[in-house]
Amino acid sequence: MPIPNILPATRAPTRYVREPVCPVWLDKTEFDLTKHDPERLFDLCQRKVRDSQRTLDTTRKLTESLHNDPQYQYANAVQAFEELRKEHLQLNDSYNDLETINETIQEVVEVLRTDKHQLLAELNTLKRDISIQSIENTKLALKEKESAAFHEGLQKKLESQEKQMAQLDDELKDYTNSQIQINNEMGVLESAAENLSLQTASLAELRDHLDVTRVQQQEAIQSLENEIEQKKNELESHDEQLWDFKRDMSARILALQRKVNSGNEELARLQRLSEHEMDTLSHQNRTLNEELKSKSDQLFATRKEMSEFANSARREMNIKKEEVQQCLSIIDLVEKQNAGLEASIARMLEQNRVSENQIQEKDNINNKNLIEQANFIAMVHMELQTVREDLYMIKSRLCHHCRDRLLAEEELHDEQERLAELEKGPAAYTQNALQDPNLPQIAGAPQGELTHAGAGPLTQPPLGGAPEDEEAESEKRRVQEELNKAHEALEALNRQLLEEREQRDKERREEEAMRLQEETDRLARAQEEEEARRRQNEDDRRKEDGEPAKNFTIRFVNGTKKRVEAFLSDTVQDLINRVCSKIGVRPSEMFYISHAVNENSVLGMVDRFLDKSKTLREEGLNTKCILIFKFKHYKKLVNWLDTNIQDRYFQQLHHNVVSEYYLNPEKLAVGLAGYELQAVFGDATGRKRYGYFDEVGLDAYLPTSVTPLGYEYWQERLFKTHKKRKNLPPMKAREKYIDLLRERCPHWGMTFFDIRDKENRPFIAGVAEDGLHILTADKRVIIQSLKFVGGHHQLAGWEKSATGIFVKKRDSKLMTLYASSKLQTEEMYNLLNEYYLMLPRDVQEGLDIDISDRDKIAARLLPPETFHPPAVERTAPVEFESRAEYLKALYLEHVFSADDNDESQGPIIKFLNQLDECLDTDTAVEVMDISGAGMNDSDWALIADLIIRSLEYDPATEPAITPYDRMRNWKDNLLITKLDIADNNLTPASVAPTRDLLSHCVNLADINLSGIPLDNRHESELVEPMLKLNLQSLAMNRCSIGDNGARALLELLGNGNLHTVHLNYNRITANVVAELVECLDRPYCALNNLGLASNRIQLRGLEIIIKVMDRARRPETLNFADNPLQVRGGQRFGQLLEQQCGLTDLDISNTTGAMNITGDVALYITRQMLNNPEIDRVNFSDNPIGQNLHQLTDPEGQVTRDLPLEFFTFLEREAICNITVLELNRCQLTADHGAALVTALLDNFKLRKLEVSGNRLSLSDGGVSQGWIDLLETTSTLEHLDISRNGYLKQGVTVLMSAIARNRSLTSIIMDGNRATDLQERPNGGPTVSYGEYVYAFSTNRHLRDVRMADMGITDEVWDSICEGLAENRFMRKFSAPDNLITTRGVLDSTKHLSLNTTLEDLELTCKSVQENEDEYMRAYKFFIDNTNIETILL
């Protein structure tokens, strides 16, 4: 009977299939019907795609129609305008909030500043004694440095001589024991001298002398015998010392033997102890083996169970993989379907994106149109405002009846005209504004004439009858100028808005970069803190284990030291990390620690760079070792991610420069110092200018070999260089320093080693990023450059040996040995390997040099991509790179080496400053201005001779590798085109050097020899070289030239380029003028500027000049002041102006009293000027014009003729005269003349400069007339005004200051000699008086740049008010107030205000009250320097 199957049937394994998911774009019902039918699903998808396409087309059409709708465009424009307005309001609110915060901060700053001033006052009292002695200490320090350098040179010479004598002793020691006759040793001495000839020049000379004469040989033999005797005595003393040393060493050896015996006993004890320990360990090992066997049995059982479980799991995994494969096939099918749908959707999105871009472009166009419309509306408003102002000016001339009658018509006509023009559109309005010359006129009134009620024409036509069309044309030009100004103002506003937006975007980008940098720094700090905690835990563990910590002294290149605690088991990298943690610098692969070892070589201490992977114990370090934290490789990083690393790198390079490890010319050293000052101090200010040498000497910025010209000279030169680096942030300034040093320094990046050739001659090897360089012992000549890439010779490999390093060149099969010590050989070898592995990878592949342990060395270096490639060419180490450098070096060499009989007065600083300006700005010396420098004949002869020698200097004679290297960067920058030696202490002896210089300076075009007494004899000597020049300007004032000398100079007028000749203050008469006129008539004469002031030319000479000027229409500038002319002479000047012969500048001043032009003559002259459009400048100074220039009245007292008003008619607006400069100094003018002057100037828009000093323009009470106030408040063209010494008292000066506050054109004003305080007031210490007008004037005026208020009785109170105004002024550059009543206390108190001013550069307060006491003067001077930013201060 069969057994029934009672076991349950085995079920087949189920396969999981993912349920399809309904897409969002498909209806659920449709998806359920089609999800199992792919064809229906595909048809459904295609229908959906077509529906989407139709919807998209419909949407596109609606969008296009909507975009073409003007209402939509207008709405978008309005919305954009509203958004801009909201943004403007938000920015305005933010600005107001910032202003509030700023005010709060300012209050806090004021409190802190007060505390700071108190502390500075206490500090300055402590520094007072130091500041007094600083100059003397500096001089002593310089002398000490010079003597130290001299002694050091002597010491080196002595050491070299001792070495030579030691070698001589070695050669002669075999012969000293024989004691034979000296005459039999001749051959031995000659052979010894021949062997020593290559090492010492002195012995070579000795050998030559021995060959020449026997007498000299006998003397040399005798001297050598004496030296041998001395050496014998020294050897005996050395033998005694050696015996003493031997006895000491024997005692030490015995002590060491005893220590060895005790050590052997201790070793035996340790051996017994170790045997016992071995027995114990063997017993423990047997026990552990048994336990290990039992554990292994258990592990075998567990392994068997795990293998069974793994087999079952593997079978299940295979089943799951099959199911996953089926799911993947389904997923692939669905993904293909989705890919088609996604492509369709992507196309639709791309179309939408294109539509959005088009919409955005149209929005931008609409916004631009809206902005242009807004600008046009603003322009229209500005033009209307201008028209309205002109209308008000015209109305001011009408009487009350006419004004009331025209007012209604004017307003109605103006409104209708404006509406009509605006309806026509912007183009029509602008065209009408440009074409209508009567736009500013009142409708219905004739142009140029407005009738007063029964009083005739109000505006009188100018004398000479100018036609109305010219007036209309001028009015049209004025309107055009105003419209152009309006356009420029709008463009400036648009530029400002764009700049503000760009600035906001830049600030946002900087904030984002700062945020990212802060996040990076935060992560780095967290890492460093974690590393510090780990290191602290490790240190605690070591201390618990009994390992002692050592204190190592780490030195830095800037001279500082730090004590760092470390363990001998620490690696060098651990020590570097500890140092970085100590000084607050992030660790870097570029940091190394070197052990300075003294090998008594030419270079002194040698750096042995420690291996970072070794421990301090393995490196043999102890606490007495000299350890230096520095960079090993001089490579420029592509990106300086850490400013601290860049700063350390910069400090090391700077130390190499100032210590003259790298030799640099003075020009390069000064340029580098400018970048250093910018990196350390920031932008140059007056306060920083005087702080360069507060705590450091000159050697902190420059090498010790620079010109020894004192601190004042270098302070000024460094300050000028510092100012050229303005606005450079510290990181950028350091980068510029590195770039300049890398580009121009011949020793850039070199690490120097002491080497010798096969003849034992000393040389220097420099290993740098570009290869190996062999230099002379003084580093001044590069003998050979073996570069990795390029150059005359190329490195092919290097190997180290026990005696030096072998170098192989690519163009040679031989290897060259450069002998050196073992340490320096190792360092050279390592540096060459490391610099090679830091080359770009493609360069390394091309060179294919075999490096041992290549991967190990490369692993501890930064990748090559981190650095810039090495420089292709290196600057040759030449002493001079230009003629200007050679000239300066030659001049200083002669000046400082001059003997006591030399009459020169030391260096001429003005001459040196011009050479320095050329060198520091890298420009040519074209202007040689040594005027007023106090030169004597000896100084000038030296300068002229050295300039000639510099022009003849051949730079190819200097030592260099090749002539190409010597001339590669050479500059012929001594191209003098202007020479000015006027006003020096020269005599006729200076004519000869001047003549020689003129014959060599072929580029001279402008010469000023004023002040050299030629005495009518030496002129011809100078004319000869001048005839060979292309001369354009010649000035020989105060040269004692008479008629004979002037005739010699007439030859120069044959030069067709000479346009300016000044022969003022000589003894020339009318006889020479006649000959001069003949030259002016010649067609090749180009003379346009003639100066004949203060000669002996009478009326006849002037008449001759007038005749020729009428024919030749030249010169354009004539200076005829102080010549002995009669009254008719003044009238001749009027005739000259009436002829309109091209004269633009006329000087008829009367400083010596020879001219004496009175008021009636001056009136005649100005009448002729009225219709002269050519004249631009006239100088009437020192003529008694005001004596008979007054109002004329009839017997009844009625004014019949106003002569002062007639005199100034040429300044009225209707006049044709275009004068821009008028000088009426010391012309006896009164208040009436001043009133007439300002009346004429109220409508004048041509005058730029007015000088009326030394007159009496004030009112009888010392006040100022209303006309001057109106002039100062309304003028828009007057830029310079001199009203000094015109009798204004306190009330007048106060009113002038109020008017100056509202002035918008003056850039300079001179008010000397007027009184700022009343005489009855106490100068200082009395009751406080308010001077708010001064505060208001100097705080609100934004145009004044130069103010002079000398000798005005300014007290401490007035000065404090002036400084309070200057505290808010950001436009003033120079302020002069010498010879006033300001005390030391007033000077000190003013610094609290002047410290807030950041733009004032020059301040002159020369006061006797401050100068009386030397201590008070020094205290005030130091206080000003420490508390203000003013560059130049005179007390």
Side-chain angles (χ1 to χ4, degrees), residues 612-630:
K612 295 182 180 181
S613 61
K614 292 184 178 180
T615 63
L616 304 184
R617 184 178 289 107
E618 292 172 346
E619 288 287 353
L621 300 182
N622 55 53
T623 56
K624 296 182 180 180
C625 293
I626 302 176
L627 302 180
I628 306 175
F629 182 82
K630 63 191 305 185

Side-chain angles (χ1 to χ4, degrees), residues 56 122 131 218 255 386 553 709 897 961 980 1043 1114 1142 1166 1279 1369 1379:
L56 181 61
E122 297 175 0
S131 62
Q218 292 296 334
T386 304
T553 301
L709 287 173
S897 62
I961 303 175
D980 189 349
D1043 287 351
R1114 61 173 179 266
T1166 57
E1279 298 175 355
N1369 191 298
D1379 302 324

Side-chain angles (χ1 to χ4, degrees), residues 75-101:
N76 283 341
V78 171
Q79 184 179 1
F81 178 76
E82 289 295 329
E83 291 177 356
L84 290 174
R85 189 173 63 84
K86 289 179 181 179
E87 182 181 358
H88 175 71
L89 294 175
Q90 291 175 357
L91 291 174
N92 190 24
D93 296 338
S94 302
Y95 175 76
N96 293 333
D97 296 339
L98 290 175
E99 284 291 328
T100 305
I101 296 172

Side-chain angles (χ1 to χ4, degrees), residues 383-396:
E383 293 171 354
L384 291 176
Q385 183 65 26
T386 304
V387 173
R388 189 176 291 109
E389 291 176 358
D390 293 339
L391 180 62
Y392 289 157
M393 291 297 295
I394 294 173
K395 286 194 302 183
S396 63

Side-chain angles (χ1 to χ4, degrees), residues 807-836:
V807 175
K808 183 179 180 181
K809 306 173 187 176
R810 228 168 250 286
D811 54 357
S812 175
K813 296 182 180 180
L814 302 177
M815 298 189 73
T816 305
L817 172 63
Y818 295 104
S820 186
S821 65
K822 183 178 180 181
L823 172 59
Q824 296 192 56
T825 300
E826 183 70 23
E827 292 298 322
M828 272 194 290
Y829 180 74
N830 292 338
L831 266 181
L832 284 172
N833 289 340
E834 292 165 359
Y835 275 131
Y836 174 75

